Amino acid sequence: MYTTDTIIALSTPPGSGAIGVIRLSGPDAINLTNQVFAGKDLTKQASHTLHFGLIKDEELIVDEVVAGLYVAPKSYTKENVVEISCHGSNYIIQQILNLLIKKGARAAKPGEFTLRAFLNGAFDLSQAEAVADLIASDSKASHDVALQQMRGGFSSELKDLREQLIHFASMIELELDFAEEDVEFANRDQLRALILKINSVLYRLISSFEMGNVLKNGVPIVIAGKPNVGKSTLLNALLNEERAIVSDIAGTTRDTIEDELNINGVIFRFIDTAGIRDTADIIEAKGVERTLERMKQAKLIMYMVDALQTPDELAEQLTDLRKIDIPYLAIVNKADLFTPEQKEAFAKQEVLFLSAKDGIGVEELKTALLEKVNLHHINTSETLVSNIRHVEALKNTEKALHNVLNNIDNPVTSDFLAMDIKQALHYLGEITGTVTTDDLLENIFSKFCIGK
Ligand code: GDP
């Protein structure tokens, strides 16, 4: 199915631009383009060459373009690929797409170019998924993680361990064939050693997910505290813009507002929330509920009080906060209104003084954030798992291998042994795409954009 037809899509973002790039992939990519191209005969040109010419609809000139040729298998999809760079007008792009579809190309589905690259063996499934992450990456950290995975990441490590495990699976199957004769082809000590080795790799990869996920999706941080202590003002100061509504009336920040800030290459997602307090106001009550819900998703809570509260009140609120069991940073805002004695009383606890309104203490706060979430010394060259699908498969592998270890010395259960090893192999294969289903592929590639 994937080798017979030729697909086409705009590969640059829609809208006007200096140029738009239309990409075709499939056996007829060069041939079809040649039918509407006035210039050299594209079917006779070498791979990796560029050709200037006209795109013509019969006698009508549509545009002056440059056609880039990639002859199979030396292309992204391993099929014949043509990239037509035309002027970036919606009208021209539509005309060229329609013209080539009329000639026999088919409009590509989301991610279909990358799907073909995967099916044609250009890379494995985890690398294909990393292509989507790379396109979506918006910080140095998320870019590093995606690039690492696209360039092989942990797939080669897993592939090697999987092959060794396959060897044992076949030895144990062989034992089952000779069940009457009580032979042992698979050395149990070696098998145990291999599983322990795989387990240590699995453990490392599974534990890297927390960091990988945070680097990919940003560090979620909740700003909490009673109404009017200055949470919105702080958010504005951090983001340097009038993002949240600031007002003197308690409880104006009705809903949660999210914004992102890049500190030292790491994205922090700030979640400003409705203040936590008992209230009869129905809209507010919903906001408070949501605050608690979101607090639990945060990696860190910035808890804020102001000059109207006493150190004892802060201590009391922090005691409540500790019940949620998420790291927090206590912030005392409106430091400009404090007497030195007040400051001294607060300083007995571990707090950060701030004057959000004047932006005083904001830089110190950023440093404290990096330290608090332990990201000031990240090493993105380490292999990090950032995909929830991968971590699920790794955990399932771990479970199956745990069963293998339990059954390893029991001759009665050696057929379970073979089954559990197969199960582990299945889960490992899911990551790299050695084992796939149409549903899984559909699910993964439908999240891509069209043209990728
Ligand atoms: P929120 O309800 O916690 O989001 O509080 P807001 O950010 O809406 O601020 C409530 C009021 O406190 C506003 O009038 C702010 O201008 C004021 N405010 C915020 N930060 C400071 C500060 O550092 N010093 C002083 N004096 N007032 C502040």
Side-chain angles (χ1 to χ4, degrees):
M1 166 182 171
Y2 290 102
T3 46
T4 53
D5 62 351
T6 294
I7 52 172
I8 187 168
L10 174 69
S11 283
T12 42
S16 336
I19 53 171
V21 177
I22 291 168
R23 178 158 63 169
L24 296 99
S25 177
D28 289 330
I30 298 173
N31 194 13
L32 288 180
T33 311
N34 200 43
Q35 291 176 33
V36 299
F37 185 82
K40 284 185 195 150
D41 181 349
L42 296 178
T43 61
K44 298 203 165 71
Q45 308 305 318
S47 184
H48 295 67
T49 52
L50 295 175
H51 306 277
F52 176 79
L54 301 174
I55 295 286
K56 288 176 83 174
D57 184 1
E58 307 295 338
E59 286 318 302
L60 207 72
I61 296 175
V62 180
D63 197 11
E64 291 183 349
V65 303
V66 172
L69 305 185
Y70 302 86
V71 178
K74 290 199 305 194
S75 72
Y76 179 66
T77 57
K78 299 213 162 207
E79 302 174 337
N80 282 340
V81 167
V82 179
E83 283 176 6
I84 302 173
S85 303
C86 60
H87 290 98
S89 115
N90 268 331
Y91 175 76
I92 292 174
I93 290 163
Q94 276 316 317
Q95 292 299 304
I96 299 177
L97 287 172
N98 290 342
L99 190 58
L100 283 157
I101 287 171
K102 212 162 66 189
K103 293 286 177 197
R106 169 173 69 72
K109 291 189 237 143
E112 202 171 357
F113 291 91
T114 307
L115 173 64
R116 287 185 172 202
F118 161 68
L119 291 171
N120 292 328
F123 37 61
D124 72 28
L125 196 55
S126 73
Q127 290 172 303
E129 289 168 293
V131 173
D133 290 347
L134 190 68
I135 294 169
S137 70
D138 55 2
S139 67
K140 180 171 182 332
S142 57
H143 167 265
D144 286 353
V145 173
L147 195 65
Q148 236 264 0
Q149 191 185 327
M150 193 181 78
R151 295 182 57 82
F154 53 87
S155 5
S156 54
E157 198 171 359
L158 290 185
K159 199 169 150 242
D160 179 46
L161 294 172
R162 190 169 181 272
E163 270 159 20
Q164 294 182 48
L165 206 53
I166 286 174
H167 168 75
F168 275 102
S170 53
M171 287 299 153
I172 287 171
E173 297 257 308
L174 209 59
E175 279 176 22
L176 293 178
D177 289 345
F178 290 90
E180 316 278 278
E181 299 168 34
D182 195 23
V183 285
E184 200 176 270
F185 292 115
N187 181 312
R188 298 299 190 264
D189 288 339
Q190 284 176 5
L191 178 59
R192 190 178 293 107
L194 174 65
I195 291 174
L196 293 178
K197 192 163 112 193
I198 297 177
N199 272 350
S200 74
V201 174
L202 293 177
Y203 177 78
R204 172 163 52 80
L205 292 175
I206 292 168
S207 356
S208 78
F209 177 69
E210 198 189 345
M211 179 71 77
N213 186 41
V214 149
L215 295 183
K216 176 167 144 185
N217 296 318
V219 186
I221 296 205
V222 159
I223 311 180
K226 295 204 166 161
N228 251 6
V229 293
K231 298 182 296 297
S232 315
T233 310
L234 171 62
L235 194 68
N236 290 341
L238 280 167
L239 302 170
N240 245 336
E241 58 181 343
E242 289 292 303
R243 179 69 178 75
I245 321 145
V246 182
S247 98
D248 281 328
I249 311 153
T252 353
T253 314
R254 287 280 157 107
D255 210 336
T256 56
I257 296 174
E258 249 188 76
D259 229 320
E260 295 184 344
L261 175 70
N262 186 327
I263 309 178
N264 281 11
V266 178
I267 296 285
F268 285 79
R269 285 194 286 114
F270 288 99
I271 306 163
D272 183 20
T273 60
I276 302 176
R277 59 166 189 173
D278 291 327
T279 173
D281 181 323
I282 189 76
I283 309 170
E284 261 274 312
K286 271 195 183 150
V288 173
E289 209 176 281
R290 211 167 312 163
T291 302
L292 285 170
E293 220 171 83
R294 305 211 73 163
M295 270 185 158
K296 289 185 190 145
Q297 295 168 10
K299 188 131 175 76
L300 178 75
I301 296 168
M302 299 203 293
Y303 194 80
M304 189 184 264
V305 294
D306 69 2
L308 291 177
Q309 283 150 297
T310 64
D312 285 347
E313 280 172 312
L314 172 64
E316 199 180 302
Q317 289 167 31
L318 291 183
T319 308
D320 282 345
L321 195 62
R322 281 188 206 108
K323 290 180 194 150
I324 310 179
D325 201 24
I326 290 172
Y328 63 83
L329 192 68
I331 298 169
V332 181
N333 188 33
K334 308 192 188 176
D336 52 300
L337 301 179
F338 278 44
T339 62
E341 294 75 35
Q342 268 179 310
K343 257 187 140 169
E344 209 172 297
F346 269 111
K348 290 195 177 113
Q349 307 180 61
E350 201 193 326
V351 294
L352 205 113
F353 288 101
L354 199 73
S355 189
K357 201 172 169 180
D358 311 313
I360 294 169
V362 172
E363 286 310 311
E364 290 81 351
L365 173 64
K366 288 183 185 172
T367 311
L369 286 175
L370 281 172
E371 276 171 17
K372 206 74 186 169
V373 292
N374 219 2
L375 285 174
H376 52 307
H377 53 70
I378 43 162
N379 180 2
T380 41
S381 63
E382 272 173 37
T383 308
L384 295 175
V385 178
S386 63
N387 184 311
I388 186 93
R389 190 184 78 78
H390 299 167
V391 83
E392 289 302 320
L394 291 168
K395 284 181 182 166
N396 286 332
T397 312
E398 207 178 35
K399 261 186 232 154
L401 289 180
H402 181 76
N403 291 340
V404 176
L405 280 181
N406 280 345
N407 288 326
I408 207 162
D409 289 319
N410 190 343
V412 185
T413 50
S414 71
D415 44 348
F416 289 137
L417 205 59
M419 257 165 51
D420 288 328
I421 294 181
K422 273 197 190 151
Q423 198 68 52
L425 285 171
H426 171 92
Y427 290 126
L428 278 180
E430 265 186 2
I431 298 176
T432 51
T434 322
V435 180
T436 54
T437 61
D438 287 349
D439 283 351
L440 178 68
L441 292 183
E442 163 81 29
N443 193 350
I444 290 173
F445 288 98
S446 61
K447 296 194 185 92
F448 276 58
C449 41
I450 291 180
K452 189 61 232 175

